Amino acid sequence: MSLATIYSLMGTLITINTLLALVTIFRKPRSIASIFAWSMFLFFLPGVGFLGYLFLGRGLDRTTTNRFEEENKYNLSILAQRVRENNEKFEPKEMAPHERLLKRYFNNMERTPLCRGNKVNFYLNGEDKFSALFDDIKNAKDNIHVEYYAFFNDKIGTAFRDNLIEKAKEGVEVRVVYDPWGGKTRKDFFKPLEEAGGKVTAFITSRNTLTKTRLNYHLHRKIVVIDGQIGWTGGFNVGDQYIYNSKKFGFWRDTHGRIVGTAAFGLQETFIRDWNVSVRDPKDKLEREDSYFVVPEEEGNIDIQIVANGPESDNKTLRTGFIKMIMDAEDYIWLQSPYLIPDDSMITALVAAANSGVDVRIMIPNMPDHPFIFRATQYYANYLHKHGVKIYNYTNGFIHSKTLVMDGKLGVFGTTNQDIRSYELNFEISAFCYDETIAKEMSRTFEGDLRNSKLLTDEEISQQSIWLKIKQNFSRLLSPIL
């Protein structure tokens, strides 16, 4: 084959690759950042780029979205009615205008009601969290519903499963939804639970991913609901690294909340929806029984909205809710997130708040658990620091907490990271607490974590090597598809 023929063939292949890349990128609406990232991937890695796009770049398949649409027809009207009946027992709290607008926004977008009369306890380390959770499981009388991203086959994972087995043998209804990619958990890990009478399903987007050629959509929620009245959610997954000091991470600092009250109904509704879209046999679907929504005898005074959001919807509800909080802050807005890869709208909100005199602080890890994501986080930390946002690197192990507190009046905890993946690709859930007591408790916790953190400075950024900055910039370019 002559050299001219080789050049001609290469030119033809490059032209075909370019045309296919353009069609692929623009065939559905995308953010400019995502278009740019996929352009690099497709143009500079011919063939390989398209294979990567096949598994990582496409939207949810129509079968999956149809299941969610069908389930959503029935989901929240019953929830709203049950919550409304309980709310009538409590005097409405006075809310600031921006709080009323935020509450209305979530209700309009996700039909998620405000739940009054709740109690919340926070758990900041794995030992305390799993000890209290296992106590709740042991005391369960009727039903236990569990949903986790990562469920590891190790000491704590086995202990969790064995507690569920004991309850299933007692006749308690036990159901588990898990993401096989989170903890690389095999279905046979749960076989003893199924033999004891429990039921288990892999989440719909994480099964048959090779045949569906979609690997990028994951169940990132962490939910436990016990007897329809006690709910758990937050950042902890199920595994030894979250409770024992590991060689890689050391102490694992996270935030999980135990909710008693009708806010647990929002967690329950999300679980039922995720279960029903995931089971293969329609006979295994759950009805919304009274035993799944039980008003507890003990009453609190905390108003909570449980907000769930995922890629089955075009609404980036959680991200927009965070932006509204940031833009409405008058005194301070403090965030904790293990991953800091915000999109342009979030960056604009953070910088605008900082430049308006609001005390904007973000706490991130001082070590990586995912190299590319860590370098991208460093890039955005440097950028936001230069624009007035205070960045703190947590130094007492690894911080995995996903919290946001505003002006000592409104606090948020849950599973949602401050990154594009959580905004657009993962199925997430967060609890918005309209309560000064909770917000001030979260503020004190943040201030305590500051004692184990180091403020990012101009000097530190100037000492970063050229090679490190190259890695940061490269990771940033790929951040929309990480």
Side-chain angles (χ1 to χ4, degrees):
M1 185 181 295
S2 67
L3 192 60
T5 303
I6 293 174
Y7 283 153
S8 176
L9 181 60
M10 289 178 61
T12 300
L13 291 176
I14 289 172
T15 301
I16 293 173
N17 182 78
T18 301
L19 292 173
L20 289 175
L22 290 172
V23 171
T24 300
I25 292 167
F26 292 105
R27 63 186 297 269
K28 70 172 188 176
R30 298 177 186 274
S31 67
I32 297 299
S34 180
I35 289 173
F36 183 71
W38 278 114
S39 297
M40 288 183 55
F41 203 63
L42 293 168
F43 288 143
F44 293 108
L45 294 172
V48 176
F50 279 100
L51 186 62
Y53 180 86
L54 182 67
F55 285 97
L56 301 175
R58 299 196 296 160
L60 288 178
D61 62 284
R62 191 59 193 166
T63 300
T64 299
T65 56
N66 283 342
R67 282 186 173 229
F68 276 103
E69 289 173 2
E70 180 181 354
E71 185 65 23
N72 285 340
K73 292 177 182 177
Y74 310 101
N75 61 357
L76 291 173
S77 58
I78 298 175
L79 172 65
Q81 178 61 32
R82 295 179 190 273
V83 169
R84 190 180 305 113
E85 292 172 357
N86 182 70
N87 283 353
E88 291 174 354
K89 299 188 301 182
F90 300 92
E91 284 292 328
K93 291 183 180 180
E94 184 176 348
M95 301 181 77
H98 63 267
E99 292 177 314
R100 290 197 298 271
L101 287 174
L102 183 65
K103 180 195 73 170
R104 187 192 307 166
Y105 169 74
F106 287 139
N107 193 53
N108 289 344
M109 297 302 293
E110 302 295 336
R111 289 187 294 162
T112 178
L114 181 76
C115 304
R116 297 195 176 101
N118 298 280
K119 298 176 68 175
V120 177
N121 294 101
F122 289 114
Y123 296 85
L124 309 182
N125 66 76
E127 185 175 1
D128 291 344
K129 180 252 178 170
F130 284 105
S131 176
L133 175 57
F134 287 175
D135 283 344
D136 279 344
I137 290 173
K138 291 173 183 177
N139 292 325
K141 305 299 182 190
D142 191 87
N143 54 79
I144 303 170
H145 294 159
V146 176
E147 181 171 331
Y148 272 96
Y149 168 60
F151 212 119
F152 289 92
N153 183 2
D154 55 18
K155 184 177 179 180
I156 196 67
T158 301
F160 199 132
R161 181 199 62 186
D162 290 348
N163 274 290
L164 296 177
I165 289 172
E166 290 302 312
K167 300 309 294 186
K169 288 179 177 178
E170 293 175 11
V172 173
E173 176 193 311
V174 178
R175 296 177 188 260
V176 177
V177 180
Y178 73 104
D179 189 312
W181 293 87
K184 306 298 187 290
T185 312
R186 296 174 58 89
K187 181 67 181 296
D188 56 13
F189 172 76
F190 294 105
K191 187 175 180 180
L193 174 58
E194 293 179 312
E195 290 173 345
K199 294 190 176 183
V200 181
T201 185
F203 189 60
I204 186 171
T205 62
S206 299
R207 66 173 194 233
N208 300 331
T209 48
L210 294 179
T211 55
K212 287 184 178 181
T213 60
R214 287 168 173 85
L215 300 177
N216 222 12
Y217 300 96
H218 293 289
L219 174 71
H220 198 242
R221 295 169 183 149
K222 295 92 177 167
I223 296 172
V224 179
V225 185
I226 297 168
D227 291 340
Q229 58 186 298
I230 300 173
W232 288 80
T233 192
F236 283 104
N237 288 294
V238 181
D240 287 352
Q241 73 185 59
Y242 308 104
I243 187 170
Y244 306 112
N245 289 356
S246 66
K247 292 181 180 179
K248 181 178 180 181
F249 298 112
F251 173 69
W252 190 275
R253 167 68 181 88
D254 218 323
T255 299
H256 225 84
R258 178 183 186 267
I259 301 170
V260 179
T262 54
F265 294 4
L267 299 174
Q268 183 78 287
E269 177 57 45
T270 302
F271 173 87
I272 292 173
R273 195 177 357 167
D274 290 343
W275 174 271
N276 285 351
V277 300
S278 297
V279 293
R280 298 177 186 274
D281 189 343
K283 295 179 182 178
D284 288 330
K285 286 189 175 184
L286 290 172
E287 298 295 333
R288 287 159 176 82
E289 306 287 349
D290 289 343
S291 61
Y292 297 157
F293 302 91
V294 178
V295 177
E297 294 182 2
E298 56 178 313
E299 295 180 353
N301 61 355
I302 301 169
D303 291 354
I304 301 176
Q305 267 183 305
I306 300 294
V307 183
N309 195 216
E312 83 282 8
S313 167
D314 291 331
N315 302 325
K316 300 178 181 65
T317 308
L318 283 166
R319 182 208 61 179
T320 305
F322 295 145
I323 290 173
K324 285 180 66 63
M325 288 180 64
I326 293 166
M327 296 302 294
D328 288 333
E330 296 179 353
D331 186 8
Y332 65 88
I333 192 89
W334 296 346
L335 299 90
Q336 291 177 324
S337 178
Y339 316 121
L340 181 61
I341 308 178
D343 61 11
D344 289 343
S345 58
M346 179 63 75
I347 292 171
T348 300
L350 290 167
V351 172
N355 291 340
S356 300
V358 175
D359 179 15
V360 183
R361 304 185 187 188
I362 303 177
M363 191 176 295
I364 58 175
N366 198 42
M367 64 176 72
D369 65 337
H370 302 289
F372 278 107
I373 296 175
F374 182 65
R375 296 309 175 197
T377 291
Q378 285 183 319
Y379 172 88
Y380 286 106
N382 293 348
Y383 178 87
L384 290 169
H385 162 78
K386 292 176 181 177
H387 289 81
V389 176
K390 298 173 185 175
I391 304 293
Y392 291 86
N393 290 283
Y394 185 79
T395 58
N396 187 37
F398 188 83
I399 190 162
H400 192 251
S401 179
K402 305 107 172 18
T403 65
L404 190 154
V405 61
M406 184 192 82
D407 293 348
K409 297 179 180 178
L410 178 59
V412 184
F413 67 94
T415 71
T416 314
N417 298 311
Q418 296 302 329
D419 66 355
I420 295 172
R421 169 166 289 280
S422 280
Y423 302 155
E424 299 186 8
L425 300 176
N426 286 341
F427 292 81
E428 305 283 7
I429 195 163
S430 288
F432 288 73
C433 303
Y434 302 82
D435 183 83
E436 288 191 15
T437 302
I438 288 295
K440 288 177 179 177
E441 179 182 352
M442 294 178 70
S443 297
R444 289 192 296 271
T445 299
F446 190 98
E447 290 171 332
D449 289 330
L450 289 177
R451 292 193 285 271
N452 293 309
S453 302
K454 181 181 179 183
L455 179 65
L456 183 64
T457 63
D458 291 337
E459 181 181 7
E460 182 179 342
I461 294 175
S462 68
Q463 291 174 353
Q464 294 175 353
S465 68
I466 294 176
W467 174 235
L468 176 58
K469 291 182 178 179
I470 290 173
K471 289 190 288 184
Q472 291 172 356
N473 278 275
F474 179 74
S475 298
R476 174 248 177 167
L477 292 177
L478 295 179
S479 61
I481 59 176
L482 288 175

